[in-house]
Structure formats: structure tokens, C-alpha cells
Amino acid sequence: MGERANRPTVKEVALRAGVSPMTVSRTLSGGVNVKPDVQKRVMDAVAELGYHRNENARSIRPGHSSGLIGVAITNIANPYYSTFALGVEEEAALTGRRILLGNTSEDAAREAGLVGDFLGRRVDGLIVVPAGTDSGHLAQSQAQGVPVVLASRRVDGLAADSVVLADEEGAYDGATALIDAGHTRIGYLGNSLAIFTGERRYNGFARAHEEHGLQIDPTLVATNQQAVEQARDATRALLQGDNPPTAIFCANNRNAIGALKEISAQINSGTRPVDEFPELMSFDDFELAELSPVPISVIDHDPRELGRIAARLLLDRLDGGQRDADTREVELPVSLRMHLR
Amino acid sequence: MGERANRPTVKEVALRAGVSPMTVSRTLSGGVNVKPDVQKRVMDAVAELGYHRNENARSIRPGHSSGLIGVAITNIANPYYSTFALGVEEEAALTGRRILLGNTSEDAAREAGLVGDFLGRRVDGLIVVPAGTDSGHLAQSQAQGVPVVLASRRVDGLAADSVVLADEEGAYDGATALIDAGHTRIGYLGNSLAIFTGERRYNGFARAHEEHGLQIDPTLVATNQQAVEQARDATRALLQGDNPPTAIFCANNRNAIGALKEISAQINSGTRPVDEFPELMSFDDFELAELSPVPISVIDHDPRELGRIAARLLLDRLDGGQRDADTREVELPVSLRMHLR
DNA sequence: CTGTTAGCGCCTTCAT
DNA sequence: ATGAAGGCGCTAACAG
């Protein structure tokens, strides 16, 4: 058992079927100009040998492509992004393409490495949730005729198809809803303002304040939590202040979950009554949000659909004759699901 | 079709650097026997052109491999499996390999298609959470020298490396803990008994009853919920009986989450006091489990580690001279985190 | 040190 | 309806 690579080639199939490699090739690509009985002999040989065409060999020939789409996301384990990846995978599979998936861990250098690797593997296109502001590697991809679609975040100075959320508007609406409900001290938990979504969501949050004549208390703003534990720590700090917020705006699901964990732990330890804890507004829905002990409103959107759209933008360019079309920038609306005290 | 691929090849780099393609190749693979100044000229040309070696072309040469690992999982969007995929990706990246990720949706035919496609792309190996009991396509992969690692589930009659959880034992321990706490009517929510984990976990649940002289009430057993909504429906049915269970054993995170959603909804609608609802035991931890309004105990384990181990089993075979080693079957222990009334 | 040759698996083109 | 030749990009093996 356990042989070293004994993968059959066209030649071996041809030998077994008593034909030339060309006849095998023709049979496999539709069978035009191959007699039915010969086709059958070929297909039998294929089945017996378990032959699969070497796609890598095919892809180096002129006019052929790899059928691979490179997908670089910042955090595979975040359910939001894995659902996004599912959307991409589904849509890609409809065209017989597969996805090469890589994790960047929000690290621009790692992203550049991944993209270089993807290019070496001759991907047909790239779908990227960009981790940084440096777009050299992405521009290079485009320059080589490999289209790039940005998802969730855009990159300054890079003309690429993109699909992002209505971050500013959604955050504005969410914050406005809190203000309309009477909140004047609203905490903010988010990822870095240097990140596309972080900046846009904060801007929406800030604009809601401005337009309602409210000042943001800077001690209530924490914008560097990338992971749940960091968000939890930031929440603890927020709640410890002597004038804590009456509501917390969470700019993404990691921050909302961190806030929820801390609040729920404090409630369980019974330090004060439940209704003295801030209520929450989360940009991103997430599983079990409805178990929150404090009211939580959600700025909702569908990551799977985001993935599907990203894939379609790319596939349109690859298959739909849109290779040289103008850049398309899609902004997906979000919907506010209110749940207040 | 406007194939506008503008990807540079060794030849173009060679031309620009004023050397032969071989010198480019040598430089790129370490630079042995290439004068330093020539190397520099080559590397400059590489940078200027944005050249990346065509890995597909390299991979068709004798002795070379694709550096790709095919990963087929049943549900990318399930956080458990996406975290698993992250573990695989991390470990693969350490050896410069990338993962081709496919979703089977628990469909054996789709899995076979995926595997065939992966073989066509000349993956170095396969990591599969098998969706069915048919192993023809996996055996074929092995026969062609492409090792297969099974994760989470094994397949009867297939001698392949595998890493699974201590399903039976974990379920036994969990159920025993409930019984020891005085429960005699325990509901069961799980996936199909035809699935490896479904059968093993149910067996552990059943053995705990037997060994404690308890009968399982078959009306409290529901074993066909694959998704959260189905689990929720099954939970509703369980709670409606005139002699409902005092505890529910959930065989995986989808079922636990469905149960939690239904219980929490009923609690919120105030039909009866919280402590008249069953407490829960979940095989699988999941995010925000601690928000449960009823006590929930967890049979815990680490999907990322499962992914890492699966990858290492494969990589040992590929790189570690273990290509023809005996089949290794790893069973990961689980740990019980109790939380009862 | 550097270049030439040849061939990996496949399929377009050109013969038959 | 079938086969032979040639070349895609790359790099061992073999000159020089």
C-alpha cells in the first residue's frame, strides 16, 4: 500500500483504451469526433484507473486558467467571515471554481505574502478583506490581469470592484436611535479607526452626536479591540468609571460579544441591578444575541450575501465579458432591529 | 475571450536581466552557482516585473507537488468547523502550503465531487470530515498516493489516519453527571445516528442510562436535527409533552443552540417559571453559552486543535517520512465543565 | 558559473 | 474519426 504518486495520466488511459492520448483528451472534453464505442472504451479506462485530468497541467496552456479564486480574510474563525467565505465558495462552485482560502490575522505583511502566493498559483482572481492601507500587491495583481474584489473594506488609491456595508449610515442610524431613546452618555467599542469599517462606523456614531447637539465623552470611547477578550476588558473599564454610559455602541460582533460577556458576568455576580447596566447596540448580528440580559439592538446585514456579491463581481469580470468594465462599488444597506428598554 | 493575462514568465525576466532562463530559475531557488551581481540583476528584474513563479507549471514536473491541501468540511458557516479550518490553515501555512476549501453540506455526492476535483488539482493530501459512509473516492485518493486524514468522523472500511473526539466517553460522562444529579427523564437532541458522531454520542448517552438502571423514554429522543431551526422545533416538541424532561442532552452545538433559543423564547413569554425548564448538557462549547437562562454544562474540546492535529497527521505523512507508516487513529479527550442547579 | 536540451501532462493545430 | 507534432512554464541533467 501507500505508493508514491501513482496518478494516471492521459497516456496510461490511452494505452489501456488502445487509443492515442488525443482521443482520450477529446473524449474527456465532450467527445466531438470520437466514435461512441471508442468513447466508451476510454471512459471505462478512466473509471478503472481513477483518472482525473491534471488541472495544473491544463492551466499552463494558453487560454486556460486555473479555476481558482484566492480568498484572503482577516479571521477565518470569526463566524462573520466564515459565513462570508461560504457565500464566496457557493457562488464560485457554480462556475466550477474552487477557493484557496488564507487567513491574514489582520496583518498587512501576511496579506501581501498570501497574495503573492495566490498569484504564483495562477488564481483567476482575488477576493480580499484588506488588512492594511498598502495596496501595492493588489495593484500588481490587477496589473497582471488578475482582478481584485475588495470586501467589507476598501483601500485608498486602489481602483477595484468592492462590496462594503453602509457603515456610516448604519452606525448613524443606530446611534441616533439610542439618542432618540434619551441616551446622552453612549459608550463606543470598536476596532481601530485606521481600519476602513472602524473609521466609517465611528464617523456615523460621531455624526449622530453632532447633529443632535451632543458631545462625545472621549473617556467612553475605546477603539482598539480586535478580539473578544480585549473588548471585554474595555467594557470593564467603561463600567468602572464614576459616570458610566447608559448605552454602549459596539462597532462589530467581536466587541458586542465582549461587552455582553462582561455585563453578563457582572450581573451574575450581583453587583447591581440589571437595569443599571447599559443597553447595547451592535453593528453585526450574531448567534444567541437574543439571550442578552440587557436589551440589545442590532444593525443587521448578511455576511453570506456579502460573500455572494463579492464573488459575482469577480465572476462577472472573469466570465461575463466585464473584464475591462468600469470599477463597480457596491454598498449594501443594513437594517436596524431595535430592542430598547 | 479577451485573455488579458499579463503575467511575466522566466523568459521575460531572463530577457530583462540579460541572462538565460536557467539563471533566473537558479537564482530564485537559492542562487547556488550564480554570481552575486547577476543575482541582483535577476532579482531587480523580478521585482520590476512583479514576477511570481508559476506554481502550477512547477508542480507538473517530476518530484514536485502542488503544495495544496484539500479540505472538505460539512459546513463552513458552523463556527466549530470554521475554527477547525483555521487550525488546518495555520499548520499548513507553516510548511508553505495552502488550503483548498470546499463545503459538502453533509452531502456525500458533493463530497465525492469535491474530492475528485481536488485530485485533479493535484493536492498533496486531503483532510475530510466525511459526510457519508461511502469511501470509494477516498480509497481512490489513497490508492493514488494522496493521503487522506479523516477528522471528527471515521468511515467504516477505510484505513486512514484520523482524529476524532472521545464521543462515546464524553457523552457517557455528561449523561452520567445528569443522572448523578438526580435526573431520570433526560431529553436527547442530536444529529442522525447514521453519522459517526451521532451514533457514538448517543451510545454514550444510552450506556450511562443502562449502567444506572434507567430506561430511556423514546419520546424524549430526537435525532435528526442538522440545523438550529430544526433543533428548536424538536425542543418545542419535547417541552410540549405532558411529562417533559428535566434535562436535555444536546449532542452538538447546533442542537444546543436550538434548544437554548426555544427555551429562552418560552421563558421570555413567561409561560412558566425559569426553574421549571430543563437544564442543558451540550456536547461542544459555543460562544455565549454562559448567557443561558438555564444551567448549561458543556462537554468541551478545541476545534482549532482538532484542525492542527489533522494537519499534522497529514504533514507527517507528506514530509516526515511517514508516507507509508501505519494508520494512526487519534482520539482527543474532552473535558466536562459542569454547571447544574 | 552559465547556457542548452529535454520533458513533465495536456491540448491546439495540422495532418491523415 | 483519429493521430503526430509542438509548446505552454519550469527546472533536472548535462554540457561548456
Side-chain angles (χ1 to χ4, degrees):
Chain A
M1 45 177 295
E3 218 97 326
R4 188 159 261 277
N6 87 64
R7 282 115 142 190
T9 71
V10 253
K11 265 192 205 157
E12 297 165 57
V13 176
L15 196 68
R16 194 178 182 100
V19 295
S20 79
M22 259 323 293
T23 299
V24 174
S25 175
R26 272 193 267 259
T27 301
L28 258 26
S29 41
V32 267
N33 285 344
V34 184
K35 279 203 298 198
D37 59 311
V38 177
Q39 287 197 44
K40 185 178 184 315
R41 282 209 326 271
V42 170
M43 294 314 283
D44 287 349
V46 164
E48 286 159 21
L49 294 173
Y51 171 75
H52 296 273
R53 284 197 291 204
N54 185 331
E55 293 298 330
N56 295 335
R58 297 189 79 203
S59 78
I60 69 170
R61 299 183 27 77
H64 276 267
S65 73
S66 68
L68 257 25
I69 292 177
V71 179
I73 60 189
T74 56
N75 183 359
I76 302 180
N78 182 334
Y80 185 79
Y81 287 116
S82 64
T83 306
F84 169 82
L86 176 64
V88 174
E89 198 265 355
E90 289 175 333
E91 205 67 29
L94 293 180
T95 69
R97 271 177 256 250
R98 302 295 174 201
I99 65 171
L100 270 170
L101 184 65
N103 199 58
T104 64
S105 299
E106 208 69 71
D107 176 336
R110 201 177 302 200
E111 176 186 304
L114 253 188
V115 166
D117 187 280
F118 286 165
L119 289 177
R121 295 177 190 281
R122 292 304 184 266
V123 293
D124 296 351
L126 249 25
I127 293 180
V128 180
V129 178
T133 54
D134 182 24
S135 62
H137 53 295
L138 298 176
Q140 186 180 79
S141 176
Q142 294 177 316
Q144 301 190 357
V146 181
V148 173
V149 173
L150 303 176
S152 232
R153 311 172 180 173
R154 292 199 210 101
V155 178
D156 269 355
L158 183 73
D161 291 338
S162 61
V163 51
V164 301
L165 299 172
D167 296 296
E168 207 271 352
E169 210 180 310
Y172 173 84
D173 291 347
T176 297
L178 292 176
I179 294 169
D180 285 348
H183 292 284
T184 56
R185 290 184 57 73
I186 306 176
Y188 182 94
L189 296 175
N191 51 356
S192 165
L193 297 184
I195 293 176
F196 184 82
T197 52
E199 182 192 9
R200 304 213 319 164
R201 292 176 193 180
Y202 183 78
N203 286 349
F205 176 81
R207 182 163 66 85
H209 281 72
E210 279 163 30
E211 293 190 4
H212 292 80
L214 281 179
Q215 291 284 343
I216 294 175
D217 178 347
T219 66
L220 299 187
V221 174
T223 60
N224 275 302
Q225 307 78 246
Q226 194 54 45
V228 168
E229 271 313 305
Q230 299 167 327
R232 187 166 171 176
D233 293 343
T235 305
R236 191 175 308 117
L238 272 191
L239 296 179
Q240 269 165 356
D242 33 43
N243 193 4
T246 59
I248 301 178
F249 183 100
C250 308
N252 61 27
N253 77 69
R254 297 295 90 191
N255 277 281
I257 288 171
L260 217 41
K261 282 178 176 257
E262 179 60 22
I263 288 174
S264 132
Q266 291 201 16
I267 287 175
N268 286 340
S269 69
T271 53
R272 43 181 158 162
V274 173
D275 46 351
E276 285 177 22
F277 283 93
E279 57 187 338
L280 299 175
M281 171 71 62
S282 166
F283 203 119
D284 289 350
D285 194 9
F286 51 91
E287 203 153 51
L288 296 182
E290 71 262 45
L291 296 194
S292 173
V294 297
I296 178 165
S297 301
V298 168
I299 299 159
D300 193 21
H301 47 100
D302 181 357
R304 190 168 178 176
E305 184 62 15
L306 193 77
R308 287 211 193 93
I309 291 175
R312 278 201 290 262
L313 285 172
L314 185 62
L315 295 169
D316 282 353
R317 221 164 255 280
L318 295 176
D319 302 332
Q322 304 282 92
R323 181 161 284 269
D324 300 310
D326 286 343
T327 294
R328 291 198 281 170
E329 303 199 330
V330 178
E331 186 162 305
L332 278 189
V334 299
S335 65
L336 190 51
R337 210 171 65 228
M338 294 297 300
H339 191 237
L340 296 173
R341 280 207 174 90
Chain B
M1 18 239 148
E3 267 298 328
R4 135 107 75 291
N6 167 34
R7 282 113 144 194
T9 70
V10 253
K11 265 192 206 157
E12 297 165 54
V13 176
L15 196 68
R16 192 177 183 100
V19 296
S20 79
M22 257 325 290
T23 299
V24 175
S25 175
R26 272 193 269 258
T27 302
L28 257 26
S29 42
V32 268
N33 285 343
V34 184
K35 277 202 304 202
D37 59 312
V38 176
Q39 287 196 45
K40 182 176 184 315
R41 276 199 342 261
V42 170
M43 294 314 282
D44 287 349
V46 164
E48 286 158 22
L49 293 172
Y51 171 76
H52 296 273
R53 287 198 289 205
N54 186 331
E55 293 298 330
N56 295 335
R58 296 188 81 204
S59 77
I60 70 171
R61 299 182 32 75
H64 274 269
S65 74
S66 68
L68 256 24
I69 292 178
V71 180
I73 60 188
T74 57
N75 184 0
I76 301 181
N78 181 334
Y80 184 79
Y81 287 116
S82 64
T83 306
F84 168 82
L86 175 63
V88 174
E89 198 265 355
E90 289 174 333
E91 205 68 29
L94 293 181
T95 69
R97 271 176 257 250
R98 301 296 173 200
I99 65 171
L100 272 169
L101 184 65
N103 199 56
T104 64
S105 299
E106 208 68 71
D107 176 335
R110 201 175 301 198
E111 176 186 304
L114 253 188
V115 166
D117 187 278
F118 287 165
L119 290 177
R121 295 178 189 281
R122 293 303 184 266
V123 293
D124 296 352
L126 248 24
I127 293 180
V128 179
V129 178
T133 53
D134 182 23
S135 61
H137 52 295
L138 299 176
Q140 186 181 79
S141 177
Q142 294 177 315
Q144 301 190 358
V146 181
V148 173
V149 173
L150 303 176
S152 231
R153 310 172 182 174
R154 292 199 208 103
V155 178
D156 269 354
L158 183 73
D161 291 339
S162 61
V163 51
V164 301
L165 299 172
D167 297 296
E168 208 269 353
E169 209 180 311
Y172 172 84
D173 291 346
T176 296
L178 292 176
I179 294 169
D180 286 347
H183 292 285
T184 56
R185 290 184 57 73
I186 306 175
Y188 182 94
L189 296 174
N191 52 355
S192 165
L193 297 185
I195 293 176
F196 184 82
T197 51
E199 184 192 7
R200 304 216 313 166
R201 294 175 192 179
Y202 183 77
N203 285 349
F205 177 81
R207 181 161 67 84
H209 282 71
E210 278 163 30
E211 293 191 3
H212 292 80
L214 280 179
Q215 291 284 342
I216 294 175
D217 179 346
T219 67
L220 299 186
V221 174
T223 59
N224 273 301
Q225 306 80 243
Q226 194 55 43
V228 168
E229 271 313 305
Q230 299 168 327
R232 187 166 172 178
D233 293 342
T235 306
R236 193 175 309 117
L238 273 190
L239 296 179
Q240 268 164 357
D242 32 46
N243 193 4
T246 59
I248 300 178
F249 182 100
C250 308
N252 60 28
N253 78 66
R254 298 294 89 190
N255 277 281
I257 288 171
L260 217 41
K261 281 177 176 256
E262 179 59 24
I263 288 173
S264 132
Q266 290 200 17
I267 287 174
N268 285 341
S269 69
T271 54
R272 43 182 158 160
V274 173
D275 46 352
E276 285 178 20
F277 282 93
E279 56 187 337
L280 299 176
M281 170 71 62
S282 167
F283 202 119
D284 288 350
D285 193 9
F286 51 91
E287 201 152 52
L288 297 182
E290 70 261 46
L291 296 193
S292 173
V294 295
I296 179 166
S297 302
V298 167
I299 299 160
D300 193 20
H301 47 100
D302 181 357
R304 191 168 177 175
E305 183 62 15
L306 193 76
R308 287 210 192 94
I309 291 175
R312 278 200 290 261
L313 285 172
L314 185 62
L315 294 169
D316 282 354
R317 221 164 256 279
L318 294 176
D319 302 332
Q322 304 282 92
R323 181 162 283 269
D324 299 310
D326 287 343
T327 294
R328 290 198 282 170
E329 303 200 329
V330 178
E331 186 162 305
L332 278 188
V334 299
S335 65
L336 190 51
R337 209 169 67 227
M338 293 298 298
H339 191 236
L340 296 173
R341 278 204 177 93

